[in-house]
């Protein structure tokens, strides 16, 4: 995948995984740097996803769905779930044991995910390649567009801001004094900085129930 999409990932969000016998995996969870996410128009982000999907092997169906997102400004849940089902079917056809596993994020956003297992007959590297190929074909960029659409970002923003008091208390408990006028989102960004610190870090986001920005 290209670096511009990889930079969307943050440790606070669920990542894909594959284990020898069973795996809990998801259509890629994505979150841009919080500042750029708030400032960059959704249409520009979807346009970049569309260009990358077109050049990097996405199916015509995923490309068409990205075009629809560009035109309408949204990715409906039903569209995202259908794409996840296509990815699951792709994995199953490749010999993996795969199924949909819907997840509701802390903000309330429903995200279609999948579980995949390569069992003992397929080595882990090959299993990863199969999953990546199916994901690239059917869900990778569409999932970014789904989780970054304005309605999802607003839902997340409201949830994060509702955690202002808890975040401030957690930061204070860990010796960090924030500006008195900082809102919940700004406090969450501050908490994210400390959660990724190489030494002496602490995770106020998880403590208050925020699973991504």
């Amino acid at each position: 995948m290209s670096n511009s999409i990889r930079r969307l990932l943050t440790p606070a969000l669920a990542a894909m995984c594959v284990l020898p016998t069973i795996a809990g995996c998801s259509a890629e969870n994505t979150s841009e740097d919080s500042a750029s996410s708030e400032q960059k128009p959704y249409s520009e982000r979807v346009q970049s996803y569309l260009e990358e999907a077109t050049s990097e092997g996405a199916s015509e169906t995923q490309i068409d769905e990205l075009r629809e997102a560009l035109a309408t400004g949204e990715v409906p849940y039903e569209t995202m779930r259908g794409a996840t089902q296509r990815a699951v079917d792709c994995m199953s056809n490749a010999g993996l044991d795969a199924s949909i596993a819907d997840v509701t994020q802390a903000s309330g956003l429903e995200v279609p995910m999948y579980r995949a297992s390569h069992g003992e007959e397929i080595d882990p590297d090959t299993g990863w390649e199969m999953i990546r190929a199916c994901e690239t074909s059917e869900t990778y960029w569409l999932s970014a567009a789904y989780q970054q659409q304005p309605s999802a970002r607003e839902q997340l923003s409201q949830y994060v801001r509702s955690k202002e008091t808890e975040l401030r208390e957690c930061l204070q408990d860990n010796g960090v004094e924030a500006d008195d006028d900082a809102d919940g989102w700004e406090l969450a960004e501050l908490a994210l900085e400390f959660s990724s610190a190489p030494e002496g870090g602490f995770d106020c986001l998880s403590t208050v129930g925020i699973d991504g920005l």
Side-chain angles (χ1 to χ4, degrees), residues 2 23 40 44 47 78 89 101 144 186 195 201 203:
S2 68
K40 191 174 183 181
E44 290 185 17
Q47 181 63 44
E78 294 77 11
D89 292 342
E186 292 167 327
S195 68
D203 192 358

Side-chain angles (χ1 to χ4, degrees), residues 98-117:
S99 62
I100 287 184
D102 288 320
V103 169
T104 300
Q105 294 181 346
S107 66
L109 179 67
E110 294 185 31
V111 182
M113 295 186 174
Y114 60 77
R115 293 182 181 275
S117 167

Side-chain angles (χ1 to χ4, degrees), residues 23-199:
C25 304
S26 71
E28 195 110 5
N29 274 320
T30 56
S31 178
E32 294 184 74
D33 171 81
S34 55
S36 63
S37 179
E38 294 295 309
Q39 296 171 5
K40 191 174 183 181
Y42 181 65
S43 60
E44 290 185 17
R45 279 176 271 157
V46 176
Q47 181 63 44
S48 68
Y49 301 156
L50 177 59
E51 292 171 358
E52 291 184 4
T54 302
S55 65
E56 297 192 28
S59 68
E60 283 301 318
T61 303
Q62 185 181 181
I63 290 171
D64 286 344
E65 288 166 343
L66 286 167
R67 288 179 179 138
E68 184 69 15
L70 187 60
T72 63
E74 66 173 351
V75 178
Y77 169 82
E78 294 77 11
T79 298
M80 189 65 244
R81 200 174 197 282
T84 306
Q85 184 62 61
R86 293 197 308 271
V88 165
D89 292 342
C90 173
M91 294 172 205
S92 297
N93 292 336
L96 300 173
D97 182 9
S99 62
I100 287 184
D102 288 320
V103 169
T104 300
Q105 294 181 346
S107 66
L109 179 67
E110 294 185 31
V111 182
M113 295 186 174
Y114 60 77
R115 293 182 181 275
S117 167
H118 56 68
E120 298 180 356
E121 296 181 357
I122 301 174
D123 68 85
D125 289 343
T126 301
W128 266 115
E129 290 174 3
M130 290 176 174
I131 286 177
R132 279 294 192 184
C134 292
E135 186 178 70
T136 296
S137 176
E138 305 300 342
T139 65
Y140 190 78
W141 293 275
L142 189 68
S143 184
Y146 176 75
Q147 295 187 66
Q148 291 296 316
Q149 63 186 313
S151 59
R153 295 301 295 175
E154 178 59 27
Q155 189 172 344
L156 175 63
S157 176
Q158 290 180 7
Y159 175 72
V160 171
R161 286 183 166 85
S162 75
K163 296 292 184 177
E164 178 179 336
T165 299
E166 295 172 64
L167 281 167
R168 191 177 299 278
E169 290 176 352
C170 182
L171 288 167
Q172 289 175 342
D173 289 344
N174 285 278
V176 178
E177 292 294 332
D179 292 341
D180 291 340
D181 59 353
D183 64 18
W185 189 269
E186 292 167 327
L187 293 173
E189 290 181 320
L190 181 60
L192 182 60
E193 293 180 17
F194 283 96
S195 68
S196 59
E199 295 183 6

